Amino acid sequence: MIPCSVGTNCNKVRGLSQKENGGETTKSSRAIIHPTLNDQLRNEAEIFKENTKEIKRKMWWRNKKMWLILIVIVVVLIAVVAIWLAALK
C-alpha cells in the first residue's frame, strides 16, 4: 500500500521548524529538529519505492501479454483471409 501521510508529515516538519526558527526554515534545521519525523518519511519513501518497482513489473508483464494476444489475433485474421482467398480460386 502507498502511504498517505507523507505530505502531511512534510507539512508538520515544515510548520514545526518554522515555529522553532521564527518562520525561517532551512534544510539543516528541519533535519536536526525532528529526526523521528525524518526517519518516518525516509521509511515511507523506501516503502513507496518498493511498491512502485512491483507495480512497474506487473504492468510490464500485463503490457507484454496484451501485445502477445494482439499479435495472435492479427495472425489468425491473416490466416483466415488467406484461406478464404485460396478457397475462392
Side-chain angles (χ1 to χ4, degrees):
M1 295 290 141
I2 299 173
C4 300
S5 62
V6 173
T8 306
N9 287 340
C10 287
N11 292 333
K12 276 186 198 176
V13 170
R14 187 177 298 119
L16 291 173
S17 61
Q18 284 177 346
K19 287 178 188 175
E20 294 281 331
N21 295 327
E24 181 181 320
T25 61
T26 61
K27 289 182 182 180
S28 61
S29 66
R30 285 184 291 202
I32 293 169
I33 294 172
H34 302 289
T36 57
L37 287 176
N38 287 333
D39 291 341
Q40 183 180 0
L41 287 172
R42 187 175 293 114
N43 291 338
E44 289 176 359
E46 285 297 320
I47 291 169
F48 180 78
K49 190 184 290 187
E50 291 170 10
N51 288 339
T52 55
K53 285 180 185 177
E54 182 181 338
I55 291 170
K56 184 178 178 181
R57 215 177 2 251
K58 284 181 183 179
M59 295 308 290
W60 185 84
W61 278 110
R62 187 176 289 175
N63 188 31
K64 294 303 172 191
K65 289 176 189 176
M66 183 205 55
W67 276 104
L68 181 64
I69 290 169
L70 184 64
I71 289 170
V72 167
I73 290 172
V74 168
V75 168
V76 167
L77 285 174
I78 291 172
V80 168
V81 168
I83 292 171
W84 181 67
L85 288 175
L88 287 178
K89 288 185 180 182

